[in-house]
Amino acid sequence: MHADILLRGGDIVDGTGAPRRRGDVAITDDRITATGDLSDWTAGRDIDCTGRIVAPGFIDPHVHHDEIVLTDPGMDCMLSQGVTTIINGNCGFSIAPLTATGPLPQPLGMILSNDAPRFATYAAYRDRLRADPPAVNTACLIGHGTLRINEVANLDRPADRDEIAVMARALDAALSEGGIGLSTGPFYPPARASTTGELTEMARVAQAHGKLYVTHMRDEGDRVIEALDETFQIGRDACCGVHVSHHKCAGLANHGLSETTLAMIDRAMQTQDVGLDTTPWTASSTMLNSGRHRQASRVIVADSTPHPEMAGRDLADIAAGWGTDIDTAMERLLPATGIFFIMDEGDVRRILAYEHTIICSDGIARGSHPHPRVWGTFPRVLGHYVRDAGVFDLETAIRRMTSMPADRFGLRDRGRIAEGTYADAVIFDAATIREANDYAHPTRPAEGIDLVFVNGRESWRSGVHSGARAGVVL
Ligand code: ZN
């Protein structure tokens, strides 16, 4: 038998959580064609993987790279950490369908630049990605916040019946054109006035397509319990699967609360479809004027449009330098994004260790000083939390990055090393993999990753991009 490529003698972690086993993996075209003892096979190219882990390419189910996949399609920040598939359109804000004209309200204006192309339909965005593909596979949720910006005349009030009907039709069309689910973000100003009923009407449309309601909940701090209850209620009323994005308990007063929230999720799962993901960091990142700074022990400015020179500096130091209070300094920096130290390490570990938690980066790759999760999330889990802290074993961690997100979001034939699946794969050294970046140097690529394949194409090798742009739209 013959293959294009044979990955020989690696320790295969297949993505299902099964223990690693020594073996070979055959790749022809864009598929894995065999695994196991393939010593009698020949190949166009043999790659010795002795002493290395061979795993499915990681799937990042929560990013904000909607525009970056068009403007920076090499996607080094993802490939360099072994990610081969991303899901955009999160937190209620997708790049499409966008019919609004003029300046975009935050946080959409944080995710998209002022001169970002505007796609009136999801199909137009999808076709553009197909014509000019990025280096990773992409899928996209359709954001309720974006639909609201398009259709609701005054964002400070609930949508009326007619507006809800128009948004539902637009969502229905976008999901028919390939959007993989609905995202909402009632935390953010453009959607804060939406009622539970409005969100439920949107969830009904997702349900009709057999797709998920994915949410940046109304509150992740003092009212996180109520926000979880609202999310579960929407799921029950719409008979729709719900997915809690980047689950956290924000603010000093809420540290330790994950014991309660995870128990709530566990209870809800007994009777309805609930899932969650999280990031492996105690700092979050979002737009600067979100009120988050009041819950944070420290705030770093990640990016500021009027003051790009302040990126990477502490908000408190900027205010002191300007001789102003924090709020005045913040106003001067807007539009801006920040990094907020608001979570407890104990909660981060408890949520990570919870058996149903999927790993995500929640990356926003804007400016010179983004949150280090943009470049370091997956190696940080495999290095810091698996090897050094022993929060879970390697096979479990990889399952949370591969087959679990693939199954949760309906990405067929992805997330597993198995005959017939797409040849998305990462080869790395379990002894050395780590995030090499930090808050001061956030864009340093991770270490320990040897090779990354996307749809059978070598895309990243020992820190260097191959130039391949083998991603497809899922
Ligand atoms: Zn979010």
Side-chain angles (χ1 to χ4, degrees), residues 62 64 90-93 184-185 187-188 215-217 220 245-246 248 285-286 292 362 364 373:
H62 190 110
H64 297 283
N90 275 285
C91 302
F93 298 94
T184 70
F187 169 79
Y188 286 110
T215 186
H216 179 150
M217 298 190 301
E220 297 177 304
S245 294
H246 46 57
K248 63 175 73 74
S285 179
T286 188
R292 273 271 157 87
D362 193 9
I364 307 168
R373 67 194 185 186

Side-chain angles (χ1 to χ4, degrees), residues 254-265:
N254 304 306
H255 287 182
L257 200 57
S258 63
E259 228 169 306
T260 305
T261 59
L262 293 177
M264 286 177 71
I265 290 170

